[in-house]
Amino acid sequence: YLNSDDILFPGSLEKVNKVFLENPNIDVIYGNGIWIDENDKIIHKRLNLPFHYNTWFYGMADPFQPEVFYRRRVLEKAGYLDESFFMMMDREWWIRMAKSGCKFMYVNEDLAALRKYGETKTAKYQKINNEERWRLHDKYWEGFKFNNSTLHKIHWKILNYYYRAFRQIR
């Protein structure tokens, strides 16, 4: 899906279709992240990496929503978006896709751009975004978890730094 102010780059759908045709076992394809302003000026380009669950979950290194494409069978495997999430619905869905066995493939292409300016949902609702991030982590957290919320947040922050560094050296 594509948000109303985000854009697909020319030829993106053809590229995605070709990758899907050449890789019938792949369920989800994603490319690189580009932020643009309200005048289409590039603010930031981010190269993604091949899928690694812990880097996505703990390192917050998932792609931008408009550059993710999926097959219809993903809906059968992982279900639909969880609309109880206002800001993190895409990230929650991708985690659920991974946990349900969907296969991800990164293509080193700029497929779409996400708008970033003061009136976007991301900019206006940062507090909700942060709250939902913790709700998402509580829902899917695996392994050791501190009962003390402060210690748990410190633990998560350490994992976040570790997987962000891991992403850089990969």
Side-chain angles (χ1 to χ4, degrees), residues 53 57-58 78-86 88-97 99 131-143 145 152 156:
Y53 179 82
F57 185 72
Y58 299 110
Y80 293 81
L81 289 168
D82 179 348
E83 294 183 40
S84 73
F85 286 93
F86 177 69
M88 289 280 161
M89 69 175 67
D90 49 2
R91 179 178 288 204
E92 189 278 336
W93 195 32
W94 299 330
I95 290 169
R96 201 164 7 107
M97 286 178 190
K99 290 191 155 299
E131 291 167 357
E132 286 189 0
R133 179 174 289 124
W134 286 110
R135 186 173 136 220
L136 180 67
H137 280 82
D138 286 344
K139 182 175 181 177
Y140 291 105
W141 190 275
E142 296 175 353
K145 181 178 177 182
H152 179 63
W156 176 83

Side-chain angles (χ1 to χ4, degrees), residues 99-111:
K99 290 191 155 299
S100 67
C102 290
K103 302 217 182 314
F104 290 73
M105 182 177 185
Y106 164 69
V107 292
N108 189 8
E109 297 276 349
D110 298 336
L111 300 173

Side-chain angles (χ1 to χ4, degrees), residues 17-34:
N17 185 54
K18 183 175 188 250
V19 173
F20 273 137
L21 288 173
E22 292 171 354
N23 299 278
N25 62 323
I26 296 298
D27 299 302
V28 181
I29 294 171
Y30 63 98
N32 295 322
I34 297 179

Side-chain angles (χ1 to χ4, degrees), residues 2-167:
L2 189 66
N3 291 322
S4 63
D5 58 353
D6 299 336
I7 60 170
L8 293 176
F9 292 132
S12 291
L13 294 177
E14 290 84 0
K15 291 174 188 175
V16 168
N17 185 54
K18 183 175 188 250
V19 173
F20 273 137
L21 288 173
E22 292 171 354
N23 299 278
N25 62 323
I26 296 298
D27 299 302
V28 181
I29 294 171
Y30 63 98
N32 295 322
I34 297 179
W35 275 332
I36 58 174
D37 68 12
E38 63 271 22
N39 299 312
D40 295 338
K41 181 182 175 203
I42 294 175
I43 299 169
H44 177 73
K45 290 181 82 168
R46 183 185 77 178
L47 294 177
N48 282 311
L49 294 169
F51 179 76
H52 182 269
Y53 179 82
N54 285 345
T55 303
W56 276 32
F57 185 72
Y58 299 110
M60 299 186 307
D62 50 339
F64 299 143
Q65 178 274 319
E67 69 203 34
V68 179
F69 301 85
Y70 55 91
R71 293 181 190 269
R72 185 179 65 173
R73 67 183 179 224
V74 165
L75 300 172
E76 297 159 7
K77 289 181 176 184
Y80 293 81
L81 289 168
D82 179 348
E83 294 183 40
S84 73
F85 286 93
F86 177 69
M87 296 296 295
M88 289 280 161
M89 69 175 67
D90 49 2
R91 179 178 288 204
E92 189 278 336
W93 195 32
W94 299 330
I95 290 169
R96 201 164 7 107
M97 286 178 190
K99 290 191 155 299
S100 67
C102 290
K103 302 217 182 314
F104 290 73
M105 182 177 185
Y106 164 69
V107 292
N108 189 8
E109 297 276 349
D110 298 336
L111 300 173
L114 176 80
R115 294 223 187 255
K116 185 174 183 177
Y117 58 94
E119 296 303 310
T120 62
K121 182 178 168 182
T122 304
K124 289 170 68 172
Y125 300 105
Q126 194 59 48
K127 184 175 186 244
I128 294 171
N129 191 59
N130 292 335
E131 291 167 357
E132 286 189 0
R133 179 174 289 124
W134 286 110
R135 186 173 136 220
L136 180 67
H137 280 82
D138 286 344
K139 182 175 181 177
Y140 291 105
W141 190 275
E142 296 175 353
F144 180 77
K145 181 178 177 182
F146 287 95
N147 290 329
N148 178 295
S149 65
T150 301
L151 291 176
H152 179 63
K153 286 182 179 184
I154 292 168
H155 182 206
W156 176 83
K157 199 63 170 169
I158 291 167
L159 288 171
N160 175 261
Y161 284 128
Y162 172 81
Y163 282 107
R164 285 171 54 200
F166 178 80
R167 180 180 189 272

